[in-house]
């Protein structure tokens, strides 16, 4: 058994051994660069950049010096020095792998190493993360290092974009990491050496480019060179098939949705078959007979009644699968706003496609807006596969290593911790049924509460959060 385990771990052990040899070479440069002032480090990096632009050096050739320069500059700008294991994590990402690093091991700082190195190509580097707060926090925080080395940083979030400017200060922000983000155009943010943004915004800007212009000078994203995806398991695996859709109003009106909303409300539970796991619903024969009677049609599924089926299916989905204050909320002005199932954030301006949004509006008794037609769509999986080089970082990647490789050609490397883990990581507890699992959670929470211990419960969706909360 021991020899079998050794055989399994050999490729990873060899990779770590190779990286550790390189760490020794980077450490040998520490005295040289850590004795320099920031301005001298900036000049040294500019010289390396010139050599790369002139094709006298490759990024791999420059890695040792660039990592050593970045670490020396980080000490002066951020008062943080990259640990040796963080150098290893940076190398893993530079070579197009997903670095699995435990929570608290400093992934935000680790990413600066491959970001700085790859930014020297002049083709742009994208750091992708899951929400607007992290985008602005991490960019504003790490930009002290990037700016000190002469690299520009852009930030994109919904309805806004910024460029890091140490001379600019927005004192309205309590967090100093946000204060030096100066409003700019989308193009300026993308033309920076480094651009931070959410997966949604990168994807939507790609779609906007493809429907707005064919002139490359006008593109928001001039190239898809290199991306580092934070929370890679969430974005690249869990949400990989989530479609990003840009639509426009269509000529068809939503007048029929009110009628069909009233019809499906009259149906009983045995009139349809509901599959909540696969998010599907279909009428039973009895349900079909009832609808045909109410609509006064002989055959609901005949060719001349296709338009009826379309409205009926969307209204049935809206009634049975989509719940108010879980999947969507109704704003004070009557607008139906989608709730992101992964983050719980309201997605202003986004609408369900194929008449589903109109069906929900009719269900809630608010103004039914015109239907929309799809102009452009892409999934996260297909979008991120467009990058010339892709890498990622997360606290949990090994369990999805096969999927990372099959879908994106990404390897997964578990990076050792800097110090032995003091936290106790217990094994998973498996239950035969979801009901049994939730009962056990409730029992544990009750005991911990009685002992005066706070409990943090995380789940994969808002629906599960609400169920546990109730």
């Amino acid at each position: 058994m021991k020899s079998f385990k050794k055989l399994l771990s050999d490729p990873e052990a060899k990779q770590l051994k190779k990286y550790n040899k390189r760490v020794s070479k980077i450490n040998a440069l520490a005295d040289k660069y850590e004795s320099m002032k920031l301005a001298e480090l900036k000049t040294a990096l500019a010289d390396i950049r010139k050599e790369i632009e002139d094709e006298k050096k490759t990024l791999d050739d420059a890695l040792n010096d660039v990592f050593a320069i970045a670490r020396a500059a980080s000490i002066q700008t951020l008062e943080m020095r990259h640990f040796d294991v963080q150098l290893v994590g940076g190398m893993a990402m530079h070579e197009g792998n997903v670095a699995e690093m435990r929570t608290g091991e400093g992934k935000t700082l680790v990413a600066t190493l491959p970001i700085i190195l790859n930014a020297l190509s002049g083709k742009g580097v994208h750091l992708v993360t899951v929400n607007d707060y992290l985008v602005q926090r991490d960019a504003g925080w790490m930009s002290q290092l990037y700016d000190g080395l002469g690299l520009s940083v852009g930030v994109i979030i919904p309805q806004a974009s910024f460029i890091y400017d140490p001379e600019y200060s927005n004192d309205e922000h309590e967090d100093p990491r946000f204060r030096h983000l100066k409003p700019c155009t989308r193009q300026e943010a993308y033309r920076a050496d480094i651009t931070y943004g959410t997966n949604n915004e990168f994807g939507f800007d790609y779609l906007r480019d493809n429907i707005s212009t064919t002139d490359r000078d006008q593109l928001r994203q001039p190239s898809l060179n290199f991306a580092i995806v934070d929370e890679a398991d969430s974005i690249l695996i869990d949400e990989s098939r989530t479609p990003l859709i840009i639509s426009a109003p269509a000529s068809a009106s939503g007048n029929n949705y009110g009628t069909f909303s009233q019809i499906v409300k009259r149906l009983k539970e045995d009139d349809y078959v509901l599959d909540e796991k696969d998010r599907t619903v279909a009428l039973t024969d009895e349900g079909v007979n009832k609808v045909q009677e109410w609509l006064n049609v002989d055959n609901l599924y005949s060719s001349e009644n296709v338009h009826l089926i379309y409205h009926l299916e969307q209204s049935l989905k809206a009634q049975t699968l989509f719940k108010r204050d879980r999947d969507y909320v109704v704003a004070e002005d009557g607008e139906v706003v989608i709730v992101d199932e992964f983050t719980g954030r309201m997605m202003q301006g986004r609408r369900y496609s194929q008449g589903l949004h109109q069906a929900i509006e009719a269900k809630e008794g608010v103004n039914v807006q015109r239907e929309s037609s799809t102009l452009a769509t892409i999934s996260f999986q297909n979008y991120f596969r467009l990058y010339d080089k892709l890498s990622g970082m997360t606290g949990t990647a090994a369990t999805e290593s096969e999927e990372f490789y099959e879908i994106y050609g990404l390897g997964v490397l578990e990076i050792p911790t800097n110090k032995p883990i003091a936290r106790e990581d217990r094994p998973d507890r498996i239950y035969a049924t979801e009901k049994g699992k939730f009962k056990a959670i409730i029992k544990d929470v009750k005991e911990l509460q009685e002992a005066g211990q706070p409990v943090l419960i995380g789940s994969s969706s808002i629906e599960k959060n609400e169920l546990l909360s109730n």
Side-chain angles (χ1 to χ4, degrees), residues 267 270-271 283-291:
L267 293 170
D270 55 359
D271 291 329
L283 289 175
T284 62
D285 290 343
E286 182 63 27
V288 170
N289 291 334
K290 284 184 179 180
V291 172

Side-chain angles (χ1 to χ4, degrees), residues 29-143:
L29 297 167
D31 290 341
K32 173 185 174 182
Y33 289 117
E34 289 176 22
S35 62
M36 290 183 179
K37 293 180 180 177
L38 187 59
E40 294 174 306
L41 293 170
K42 180 178 177 179
T43 301
L45 191 70
D47 291 341
I48 294 173
R49 183 172 192 163
K50 183 73 168 60
E51 288 182 291
I52 291 169
E53 289 172 351
D54 292 342
E55 298 184 355
K56 293 178 181 177
K57 265 187 181 178
T58 65
L59 294 179
D60 288 337
D61 295 335
L63 187 146
N64 295 354
D65 284 278
V66 172
F67 275 33
I69 289 169
R71 181 160 68 174
S74 177
I75 296 168
Q76 296 187 45
T77 56
L78 302 172
E79 298 182 356
M80 291 189 285
R81 187 180 191 273
H82 298 79
F83 297 122
D84 287 356
V85 291
Q86 292 177 318
L87 299 179
V88 170
M91 289 179 219
M93 284 188 266
H94 166 66
E95 293 192 355
N97 296 294
V98 175
E100 178 179 296
M101 301 184 71
R102 296 290 190 95
T103 301
E105 289 297 298
K107 291 187 289 291
T108 304
L109 183 65
V110 173
T112 61
L113 298 168
I115 284 175
I116 290 169
L117 176 60
N118 285 270
L120 301 183
S121 69
K123 297 177 183 177
V125 175
H126 295 166
L127 189 290
V128 187
T129 192
V130 291
N131 63 53
D132 307 345
Y133 170 77
L134 289 177
V135 167
Q136 296 172 87
R137 186 204 70 177
D138 292 354
W141 187 11
M142 296 297 117
S143 285

Side-chain angles (χ1 to χ4, degrees), residues 388-408:
D388 296 333
K389 184 165 74 171
L390 182 66
S391 67
M393 54 186 181
T394 183
T396 50
T399 51
E400 284 95 14
S401 59
E402 189 175 340
E403 291 172 277
F404 277 120
Y405 185 77
E406 287 181 357
I407 299 170
Y408 305 99

Side-chain angles (χ1 to χ4, degrees), residues 449-466:
Q449 284 288 308
E450 287 172 353
Q453 182 177 342
V455 185
L456 174 64
I457 302 176
S459 82
S460 59
S461 70
I462 296 166
E463 182 183 10
K464 290 287 194 297
N465 287 342
E466 290 188 339

